[in-house]
Amino acid sequence: MTPSESDPGDQPFTPDEVAALHAAVPPDAADAIDDATWRDLLLPHYAETLAPGTSIFGRQVLDRDLRGGADDEAVAARRARIEALLDDPAQLDALRRALACLRQADVDVATLLFADAQPVRPDWVGRLFWLPVLLAASIAAALLVSPLGWLGVGVAMYFLVMVHMRYQDRIGRWTRTLRALQMLLRACSLLDGSGSAQAAPFTGRGAPAGRLSRSLDRSLQAASGVPGIAVARDYADWFAAADVRHYYRTLDLVFGQRDFLRECYRLCAGLEADVALARHLRDRQGWCWATRTRTGPRTLAIEGGAHPLLDEARGLSVALDGKGAFLSGQNGVGKSTFLRMLGLNLVVARAFGFCYARSASLPALPVVASMQNEDSLLGGQSLYVAELARARSLLARARGEQPVVCLVDEIFRGTNHEESVSAATAVVDELARHALVVVSSHNLVLGALLAHALAPWRIVRGADGLAMEPGVLGRTNGVALLADHGFDAAVQRKAEQVAGWLARQRRSDAEANLLAP
């Protein structure tokens, strides 16, 4: 296998193809990031920033680790490998070049290697060789003995054409699959004996990888550059079912060598994921290795945490010990961004060991989030019903055996103020009994009602930009924004009168402290 030296470019894989390894070898359900949280934390977009110049193999490992996390031993080993690559840029670039052939793979093979069962081989495949024999004999009989021989030609051609047409699409996909497997085997051959410390696990795999790759080729395909060979191969497919016989022969070979191919996949995909992460960190500022908290699942601290998808984002800091957090702030100040920043850093630290902050001590726990609930027009589901369904799933995860971190943005905004406060207080109080919870809301009365379970924090805008500080926001700016957006003084004055009355009500409600233990 000698691919061209030009950059093959990044193949356009679907999210399902990238997630195929996670689906084929799923982690425990209690450890996995669910699909709603995956979307809410913008993890699909983040994963793309890790993957430029990375094949589907490396992308699948990155996706699996982000979704399922990694234990302490695996994270420590990955940190050592990445630090070695960052300390040796020449080795990093050499490994990237050796792995470049993987980018020519344009299909997923993780499902084949880790999940699929071998298809049953039909009995008639072993008798296929009789069809070209019948065809040749019938042609000879028609020319030399009797025109009735053309009946045999017709019968043979009918079955040959039917077999070819039935298997044409399947063989086309299988040819691409074999090409992807051969790219894995080629990478193993290139890395065997490369002298790189990172490539030590490949030692001794080059020769068997080369033999297996050659065995997956068709004899006519190996000489495809010779004039007339492509035509001869087509004739062999139509008149001798050579492609069908090759399909079943290589199918047996792949499943017979699946353990070896799986190991090649693990080594190549894991190394490529390390290379992708090292290249990502080499080109970034403002990241650190995170410490895994040992004092309990309700303790975390992050200093100068930023979201990697935002340019020039100002870092925010928070420390929680024993309690979750109630987050308040003016409209547009960045409460949702803070929750996404915290959630993404928790996910990345659990998977890879680093995060985007000056320093961090984070629990290695799954994150569940509720941030983008919407009406469902076709499903006839209101926003509030969607919020209730999502809150129920969060509560089920929180009550499970595995501790989790719950992030909730603008809880229960799909109903009136009184019902929103009532439902939010009850649900968040129950969540906080089982999990570390960070919730944001414009319903500031929640800060007082949940003070026994959630520490109050607010995002404020100062002369130096945004900052986090303890306490609940004194007053939101929704009324003040009326004037900024063209409403006249009469509307502004009426809104301020109602806001003042509601503020007095909130102070009275806060004294109730209803749910404190």
Side-chain angles (χ1 to χ4, degrees):
M1 303 298 296
T2 309
S4 64
E5 296 300 325
S6 60
D7 189 335
D10 291 332
Q11 303 284 355
F13 293 106
T14 66
D16 286 343
E17 289 174 315
V18 175
L21 179 62
H22 171 78
V25 191
D28 189 287
D31 290 323
I33 301 295
D34 62 42
D35 290 340
T37 300
W38 184 257
R39 294 188 300 270
D40 284 351
L41 298 183
L42 307 181
L43 288 169
H45 303 289
Y46 170 72
E48 288 297 321
T49 67
L50 298 177
T54 305
S55 77
I56 187 171
F57 307 108
R59 293 172 66 181
Q60 287 175 332
V61 168
L62 294 171
D63 177 275
R64 179 204 61 190
D65 289 349
L66 279 172
R67 291 177 183 268
D71 59 27
D72 292 357
E73 183 180 355
V75 167
R78 170 169 270 157
R79 174 176 176 173
R81 296 194 302 269
I82 292 175
E83 287 179 332
L85 291 173
L86 291 174
D87 291 340
D88 191 348
Q91 178 185 218
L92 177 60
D93 292 335
L95 289 173
R96 181 172 179 266
R97 289 192 297 271
L99 294 165
C101 60
L102 297 177
R103 296 170 65 194
Q104 297 195 38
D106 59 357
V107 293
D108 159 55
V109 297
T111 306
L112 168 71
L113 296 180
F114 295 97
D116 284 346
Q118 183 172 358
V120 176
R121 182 189 184 103
D123 293 337
W124 53 262
V125 173
R127 297 189 288 273
L128 266 179
F129 73 95
W130 288 110
L131 286 177
V133 172
L134 174 61
L135 177 63
S138 299
I139 292 174
L143 295 175
L144 302 176
V145 179
S146 168
L148 293 176
W150 292 113
L151 292 175
V153 172
V155 170
M157 283 301 302
Y158 171 79
F159 284 106
L160 284 168
V161 170
M162 289 299 293
V163 167
H164 184 80
M165 294 297 292
R166 178 180 177 182
Y167 277 83
Q168 189 173 21
D169 291 342
R170 190 185 309 182
I171 289 171
R173 293 193 299 270
W174 183 245
T175 300
R176 295 167 61 202
T177 298
L178 291 180
R179 176 73 173 177
L181 293 174
Q182 288 178 309
M183 291 301 101
L184 275 175
L185 296 169
R186 175 172 173 77
C188 285
S189 296
L190 291 173
L191 289 164
D192 182 12
S194 65
S196 167
Q198 299 284 343
F202 293 87
T203 302
R205 298 183 182 274
R211 288 193 297 270
L212 180 55
S213 180
R214 290 189 292 273
S215 298
L216 296 176
D217 267 335
R218 293 177 63 181
S219 57
L220 290 176
Q221 180 179 331
S224 58
V226 179
I229 289 296
V231 175
R233 187 173 59 234
D234 289 341
Y235 276 112
D237 292 343
W238 282 101
F239 296 110
D243 53 349
V244 178
R245 296 205 303 274
H246 178 260
Y247 167 72
Y248 279 106
R249 182 184 70 81
T250 52
L251 199 62
D252 290 341
L253 187 58
V254 166
F255 276 89
Q257 295 289 324
R258 194 153 70 155
D259 287 343
F260 180 75
L261 288 167
R262 283 172 176 166
E263 193 60 24
C264 289
Y265 177 98
R266 291 190 184 99
L267 291 174
C268 290
L271 179 57
E272 193 180 28
D274 290 343
V275 168
L277 293 173
R279 292 177 62 226
H280 172 76
L281 295 178
R282 182 183 63 181
D283 298 334
R284 286 198 66 91
Q285 301 293 327
W287 65 273
C288 69
W289 293 108
T291 301
R292 293 195 167 195
T293 55
R294 306 296 180 189
T295 55
R298 294 174 182 266
T299 302
L300 68 79
I302 186 166
E303 182 181 355
H307 200 294
L309 298 181
L310 297 179
D311 294 332
E312 300 180 359
R314 178 179 174 83
L316 295 175
S317 304
V318 67
L320 304 177
D321 187 6
K323 282 186 176 183
F326 174 78
L327 184 63
S328 58
Q330 303 288 8
N331 290 286
V333 79
K335 298 186 297 297
S336 299
T337 300
F338 174 83
L339 287 176
R340 287 194 172 95
M341 177 278 292
L342 180 60
L344 186 142
N345 276 303
L346 283 163
V347 170
V348 173
R350 184 174 77 120
F352 306 137
F354 62 83
C355 67
Y356 302 92
R358 289 191 297 274
S359 66
S361 179
L362 302 174
L365 299 178
V367 178
V368 287
S370 177
M371 303 185 71
Q372 295 185 19
N373 298 294
E374 299 293 346
D375 292 327
S376 175
L377 178 63
L378 296 179
Q381 187 180 65
S382 71
L383 169 58
Y384 185 54
V385 172
E387 288 181 305
L388 290 174
R390 184 58 182 155
R392 190 168 60 250
S393 65
L394 262 63
L395 191 54
R397 286 291 297 271
R399 286 171 170 166
E401 294 183 2
Q402 167 70 290
V404 297
V405 178
C406 293
L407 305 177
V408 187
D409 187 32
E410 296 299 342
I411 185 169
F412 295 151
R413 55 192 171 90
T415 187
N416 64 67
H417 173 75
E418 290 81 4
E419 291 180 328
S420 173
V421 170
S422 302
T425 303
V427 170
V428 174
D429 179 74
E430 187 63 23
L431 278 174
R433 295 176 189 273
H434 303 279
L436 180 63
V437 179
V438 181
V439 60
S440 76
S441 179
H442 284 106
N443 287 329
L444 301 182
V445 67
L446 290 174
L449 289 171
L450 294 167
H452 62 283
L454 305 182
W457 286 87
R458 59 179 177 241
I459 301 179
V460 295
R461 193 184 302 275
D464 297 330
L466 299 179
M468 292 278 292
E469 62 181 31
V472 178
L473 185 69
R475 183 174 177 179
T476 59
N477 64 340
V479 171
L481 288 176
L482 289 172
D484 295 341
H485 286 75
F487 291 90
D488 58 37
V491 172
Q492 179 86 15
R493 184 172 58 256
K494 292 176 181 178
E496 289 175 349
Q497 290 174 346
V498 175
W501 177 79
L502 289 174
R504 291 191 296 275
Q505 289 292 111
R506 187 173 74 246
R507 287 193 294 271
S508 175
D509 292 342
E511 295 172 357
N513 203 15
L514 297 175
L515 299 183

